[in-house]
Amino acid sequence: MTYQAFLIKYAEIGIKGKNRYMFEDTLVSRIAHALRPVEGQFEVYKSQGRIYVKALGPYDFDEAVDALQHVFGIAGICPLLQFPDQGFEDLCQRTVAYMGETYPDRRRTFKVMARRANKRYPLDSNEINSRVGEAVLEAFPEMRVDVHHPDVLLNIEVREQINVYSQVIPGAGGMPLGTNGRGMLLLSGGIDSPVAGYMVSRRGVWIDAVYFHAPPYTSERAKQKVVDLARIISRYTGPIRLHVVNFTDLQLHIYETCPHEELTILMRRYMMRIAQRLAEQNGCQALITGESIGQVASQTMQSLAATNDVCTLPVFRPLIAFDKQEIVDVAKRIGTFETSIQPFEDCCTIFVAKHPVTKPNLNVIRRSETHLTQADPLMEKALETVEVISVGE
Ligand code: ATP
Ligand code: MG
């Protein structure tokens, strides 16, 4: 069966009252944008509180569905049979043909669910239900009706056109990009931070990213891995400006000046300070990290508090209560896992102490920082020498 249209189901944006139009219009433009690289031509439009995608000629079905599955705000994608009203006989015939082609094995239970938006249509929904049901049973005696738990829910909508659909391909969920501001993601080459960025972005947030690079201790390949991860998530998040900060001098200064067991915490405080400055410069309203309680020494409750201490912007940690396996599952689903596990050095592990503090005392940490006399100018220098790499479109 070739489908010339899709009905787009959206969940949350349907309940936003007056803002609903804004959300719908944003979703329509995100869908049009996502379909641009797909072979074929499409029209995306709103009609009577629904969003439709219509192919204006031949197109690649799998590519189109794949593109739609990367658009936040879509709950489900329904391949749609759409035709003008040419009488009830015609509706029955087309629907029977649709059932035969869509479910060639026939061993299904079904239920017809008709909705009549056009009240002038001569049959009401109950009549449509029972007469179409009979026609399907007559054509395919192996099929059965089950009104409680049908395998196939056969939707028939009588609108300006007739819509017939029964398949719902899951969408990415969330809210359309651009409906909820912008955040600065601290993106390392690990498993967690790409997932964190994906999750916050899914709430309609545009993403900028910052990566702390420490050449020559971290290699070009480690940096390339972060660029690759940004590109993978950009299929969902839209374009990302990746800010690459040269962190080497600041890191060496901390290493040479402070007790080594405090190194990670101090480094993380400076990362947050720099990320926050970049966030402010780029119109971001929050920072985003991949931290999760207790995962490593720098993610105990006390360490998280010590890291948070230097931030005035809110810090979003969507993975805070996730188990590692749950994070891995999402990473695999969104396609970042294989890249994340490539073994390149990470600037947090290069100078890592054998016994890092797990319960840092904030006063002690703050006192250690007073010895870092060069930290401020080094931070300014790091900010002045940021390299910006744009990924995605
Ligand atoms: P990830 O898997 O995301 O690398 P992790 O388990 O290795 O996380 P940490 O190294 O403690 O944990 O980092 C915690 C968070 O700090 C990361 O999720 C990321 O948001 C941020 N982060 C760590 N290192 C860097 C870096 N080099 N550049 C940018 N952000 C970083
Ligand atoms: Mg890491």
Side-chain angles (χ1 to χ4, degrees):
M1 178 122 224
T2 55
Y3 300 96
Q4 278 314 107
F6 297 93
L7 168 65
I8 302 299
K9 298 228 162 184
Y10 45 86
E12 282 178 66
I13 70 172
I15 55 166
K16 292 284 170 187
K18 267 195 280 180
N19 287 336
R20 178 174 171 149
Y21 293 99
M22 196 262 282
F23 282 80
E24 284 174 344
D25 289 344
T26 306
L27 184 53
V28 165
S29 75
R30 295 315 308 161
I31 292 171
H33 183 87
L35 288 169
R36 224 171 279 166
V38 176
E39 210 181 297
Q41 264 208 313
F42 302 91
E43 186 190 355
V44 187
Y45 62 98
K46 290 198 295 184
S47 168
Q48 299 180 305
R50 314 298 280 287
I51 292 176
Y52 297 94
V53 172
K54 198 166 172 179
L56 303 174
Y59 72 103
D60 187 316
F61 178 86
D62 293 335
E63 257 186 49
V65 169
D66 184 59
L68 293 170
Q69 284 190 298
H70 284 80
V71 178
F72 291 138
I74 295 182
I77 302 151
C78 309
L80 191 65
L81 178 66
Q82 202 169 45
F83 51 89
D85 176 22
Q86 290 171 335
F88 187 68
E89 264 319 297
D90 178 70
L91 185 157
C92 272
Q93 269 170 23
R94 289 184 195 249
T95 307
V96 167
Y98 166 89
M99 286 297 276
E101 280 188 51
T102 311
Y103 304 102
D105 62 353
R106 312 279 153 80
R107 294 181 203 295
R108 310 287 175 111
T109 60
F110 73 100
K111 171 186 177 175
V112 186
M113 197 158 99
R115 261 167 306 215
R116 196 178 55 141
N118 170 10
K119 299 293 177 205
R120 290 190 309 269
Y121 198 76
L123 280 74
D124 70 19
S125 10
N126 283 332
E127 288 168 316
I128 301 173
N129 286 343
S130 59
R131 292 191 39 193
V132 172
E134 278 165 28
V136 172
L137 286 174
E138 200 170 301
F140 311 116
E142 316 91 296
M143 289 192 177
R144 293 256 174 288
V145 171
D146 181 342
V147 291
H148 299 295
H149 306 286
D151 300 331
V152 175
L153 187 62
L154 175 58
N155 291 278
I156 300 178
E157 298 179 349
V158 179
R159 292 170 177 262
E160 284 157 4
Q161 302 248 316
I162 314 278
N163 291 334
V164 175
Y165 65 93
S166 62
Q167 292 164 297
V168 186
I169 301 166
M175 301 176 108
L177 283 173
T179 53
N180 280 314
R182 181 177 285 278
M184 178 62 76
L185 168 67
L186 284 88
L187 181 61
S188 70
I191 296 170
D192 307 327
S193 46
V195 172
Y198 160 85
M199 287 182 66
V200 172
S201 175
R202 192 166 176 260
R203 299 304 302 163
V205 178
W206 292 116
I207 298 287
D208 269 35
V210 52
Y211 166 58
F212 296 90
H213 189 38
Y217 304 100
T218 54
S219 65
E220 271 305 298
R221 291 181 71 190
K223 174 176 149 188
Q224 186 57 43
K225 175 178 165 185
V226 176
V227 175
D228 293 344
L229 287 169
R231 185 162 293 123
I232 297 169
I233 61 170
S234 76
R235 273 213 73 199
Y236 290 98
T237 67
I240 295 179
R241 273 173 301 179
L242 174 63
H243 305 260
V244 180
V245 174
N246 186 324
F247 203 49
T248 313
D249 291 346
L250 194 49
Q251 204 165 3
L252 286 175
H253 180 48
I254 301 171
Y255 187 72
E256 282 155 11
T257 314
C258 297
H260 288 180
E261 62 273 15
E262 292 173 9
L263 201 65
T264 308
I265 291 295
L266 291 168
M267 249 165 43
R268 297 201 48 73
R269 283 165 63 97
Y270 279 96
M271 280 188 186
M272 295 308 254
R273 287 184 173 107
I274 293 174
Q276 177 155 301
R277 287 276 294 278
L278 289 171
E280 284 159 357
Q281 285 170 16
N282 289 279
C284 300
Q285 295 94 31
L287 302 177
I288 303 159
T289 77
E291 290 160 310
S292 160
I293 298 172
Q295 205 189 73
V296 287
S298 59
Q299 298 177 24
T300 62
M301 294 288 268
Q302 292 84 350
S303 301
L304 289 167
T307 312
N308 228 42
D309 178 51
V310 300
C311 302
T312 50
L313 282 180
V315 182
F316 296 157
R317 301 179 171 92
L319 308 180
I320 198 72
F322 274 45
D323 289 350
K324 191 75 189 187
Q325 189 56 46
E326 293 170 314
I327 303 171
V328 166
D329 291 345
V330 182
K332 286 184 175 163
R333 186 157 53 75
I334 66 174
T336 53
F337 184 72
E338 290 304 322
T339 303
S340 288
I341 57 173
Q342 288 172 10
F344 297 120
E345 64 291 326
D346 171 329
C347 83
C348 281
T349 47
I350 292 295
F351 299 103
V352 85
K354 285 206 177 62
H355 301 289
V357 281
T358 52
K359 294 183 183 168
N361 175 310
L362 207 45
N363 291 325
V364 174
I365 295 292
R366 284 179 184 157
R367 201 172 321 124
S368 294
E369 278 184 356
T370 62
H371 301 300
L372 292 168
T373 52
Q374 293 310 302
D376 284 348
L378 288 174
M379 216 166 83
E380 293 310 318
K381 186 167 164 232
L383 281 161
E384 280 160 22
T385 56
V386 167
E387 179 196 2
V388 182
I389 301 174
S390 294
V391 303
E393 46 184 302

